[in-house]
């Protein structure tokens, strides 16, 4: 019996070693990703979200990376609802502003929260893409509707360079998230239609949805994410007409510094206190979106 126990000791020690080694390996990988992978610089960026807390639960690594000191980016958040399903709309509006400042936005005025009957916070309601597109046009390309035929020889301009939102699966399959994808694509198509011979002045990136096992793998998903990024085909990694990368990977370190899991967790737990029910803790502890974002450039046609 003692001999058997001695034989099992090395095996029993494997999980302990892995628990120590894997976080160190991830720390190296995330630090390398922050320093070497393609990113956006000197851009005017709009993060388009559906509800207050989307920026912290899903996009923290991206917001932290794009607000990095020295990046030259100006990030703004446009949230299409107050998340008023439980009657906490005004509270959640304030919480979003607080979270955004913790994640690195320049000023509170860079956060815009709508409260419109066109965009109700609902698990069963799909928002109309045309209404989202019209809102984006009025906010970022108000002159689009006044474009004359004579002006078609001039490149169209917009108040932003990049828009970032959910992909067609919405990460959590929430219909409001999915609506943002279709609305943003409709907006880009409208820009292209106005100037069919010119590149769109706005590039669109979407947050990649993954299966449930990867979604709750936390930082362990780093290897799969990097392999997926490295082996994407040339079409998927093709840069935009403006020269922006075809894909972006943002990884936050686990501890220490502003661009870390700790900052993302703090933004969620300290800013969005009204949303801290028990299952939110499960997301914060296990979701890979708290530390890893990979985004794809959408090649939109008119």
């Amino acid at each position: 019996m003692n001999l058997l126990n001695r034989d099992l000791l090395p095996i029993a020690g494997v999980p302990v070693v892995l628990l120590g080694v894997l976080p160190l390996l991830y720390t190296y990988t995330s630090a390398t990703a922050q320093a070497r992978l393609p990113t956006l610089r000197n851009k005017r960026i709009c993060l388009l979200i559906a509800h207050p807390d989307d920026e912290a639960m899903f996009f923290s690594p991206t917001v932290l990376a794009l607000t990095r000191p020295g990046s030259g980016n100006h990030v703004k958040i446009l949230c299409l609802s107050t998340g008023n399903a439980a009657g906490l709309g005004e509270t959640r509006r304030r919480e979003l502003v607080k979270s955004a400042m913790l994640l690195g936005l320049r000023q509170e005025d860079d956060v815009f929260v709508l409260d419109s009957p066109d965009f109700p916070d609902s698990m069963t309601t799909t928002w109309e893409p045309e209404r989202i597109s019209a809102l984006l046009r009025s906010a970022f390309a108000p002159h689009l509707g006044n474009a004359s035929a004579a002006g078609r020889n001039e490149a169209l301009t917009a108040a932003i360079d990049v828009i970032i939102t959910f992909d067609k699966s919405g990460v959590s399959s929430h219909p409001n998230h999915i609506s943002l994808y279709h609305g943003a694509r409709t907006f880009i198509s409208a820009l292209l239609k106005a100037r069919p011979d010119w590149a769109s002045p706005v590039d669109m990136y979407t947050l990649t949805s993954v299966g449930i096992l990867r979604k709750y793998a936390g930082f362990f998903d780093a290897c799969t994410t990097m392999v997926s990024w490295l082996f994407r085909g040339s079409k998927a990694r093709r840069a935009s007409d403006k020269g922006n990368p075809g894909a972006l990977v943002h990884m936050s370190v686990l501890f220490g510094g502003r661009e870390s899991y700790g900052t993302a967790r703090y933004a969620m737990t300290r800013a969005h206190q009204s949303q801290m029910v028990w299952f939110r803790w499960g997301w914060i502890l296990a979701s890979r979106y708290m530390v890893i974002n990979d985004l794809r450039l959408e090649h939109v046609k008119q």
Side-chain angles (χ1 to χ4, degrees):
M1 190 68 176
N2 290 336
L3 180 61
L4 179 61
N5 289 340
R6 286 198 299 270
D7 291 339
L8 290 176
L9 278 176
I11 300 175
V14 170
V16 177
V17 172
L18 289 178
L19 287 175
V21 170
L22 290 178
L24 293 176
L25 181 60
Y26 173 78
T27 298
Y28 172 78
T29 302
S30 57
T32 302
Q34 290 179 10
R36 299 186 181 182
L37 291 185
T39 189
L40 299 173
R41 294 186 179 278
N42 302 311
K43 305 299 180 185
R44 299 166 299 171
I45 301 168
C46 172
L47 174 63
L48 179 64
I49 59 176
H51 318 104
D53 77 12
D54 286 350
E55 83 299 334
M57 287 182 62
F58 302 105
F59 291 97
S60 282
T62 290
V63 178
L64 288 168
L66 297 180
T67 58
R68 188 181 300 160
S71 68
N73 296 318
H74 189 173
V75 178
K76 298 186 178 185
I77 295 176
L78 174 58
C79 183
L80 295 199
S81 82
T82 60
N84 196 39
L88 296 172
E90 195 55 41
T91 297
R92 298 194 67 187
R93 185 198 301 269
R94 293 193 297 270
E95 289 176 342
L96 171 55
V97 172
K98 183 176 180 179
S99 170
M101 300 307 294
L102 291 171
L103 292 173
L105 267 67
R106 295 183 183 181
Q107 54 193 11
E108 293 185 359
D109 289 344
D110 287 333
V111 181
F112 304 88
V113 185
L114 270 64
D115 185 8
S116 168
D118 292 336
F119 310 118
D121 175 15
S122 171
M123 286 291 296
T124 59
T125 302
T126 298
W127 298 340
E128 293 184 19
E130 292 76 14
R131 292 191 177 183
I132 297 173
S133 174
L135 172 68
L136 295 175
R137 292 199 306 271
S138 66
F140 304 124
H143 53 286
L144 182 61
N146 300 322
S148 64
R152 290 182 179 274
N153 294 325
E154 301 177 1
L156 189 68
T157 59
I160 56 172
D161 304 303
V162 172
I163 188 167
I164 296 173
T165 192
F166 295 95
D167 69 1
K168 61 184 179 182
S169 297
V171 177
S172 61
S173 299
H174 196 301
N176 297 167
H177 295 177
I178 296 170
S179 298
L180 297 183
Y181 167 80
H182 293 291
R185 283 189 68 97
T186 303
F187 167 62
I188 302 296
S189 294
L191 295 177
L192 292 169
K193 185 177 181 179
R195 295 290 189 276
D197 298 326
W198 293 84
S200 170
V202 181
D203 282 336
M204 175 181 173
Y205 287 91
T206 56
L207 180 64
T208 304
S209 296
V210 298
I212 191 168
L213 292 179
R214 290 185 60 193
K215 184 186 296 187
Y216 292 103
F219 70 85
F220 295 105
D221 191 56
C223 180
T224 306
T225 299
M226 291 304 300
V227 169
S228 175
W229 180 81
L230 288 170
F231 288 96
R232 281 177 179 168
S234 57
K235 183 178 180 181
R237 297 178 64 179
R238 176 165 55 93
S240 73
D241 293 330
K242 297 169 62 178
N244 290 326
L248 299 169
V249 176
H250 300 132
M251 293 187 181
S252 299
V253 298
L254 295 179
F255 308 104
R258 63 171 296 276
E259 202 171 332
S260 67
Y261 164 74
T263 303
R265 182 185 62 192
Y266 193 78
M268 187 64 206
T269 59
R270 297 303 182 191
H272 293 288
Q273 292 186 6
S274 72
Q275 300 304 296
M276 289 310 300
V277 292
W278 67 268
F279 57 84
R280 289 280 193 275
W281 285 104
W283 179 271
I284 291 169
L285 293 172
S287 173
R288 51 98 71 178
Y289 291 98
M290 293 294 293
V291 288
I292 301 170
N293 282 173
D294 57 314
L295 302 102
R296 300 180 183 182
L297 175 71
E298 296 286 330
H299 295 282
V300 183
K301 298 180 181 179
Q302 72 176 80

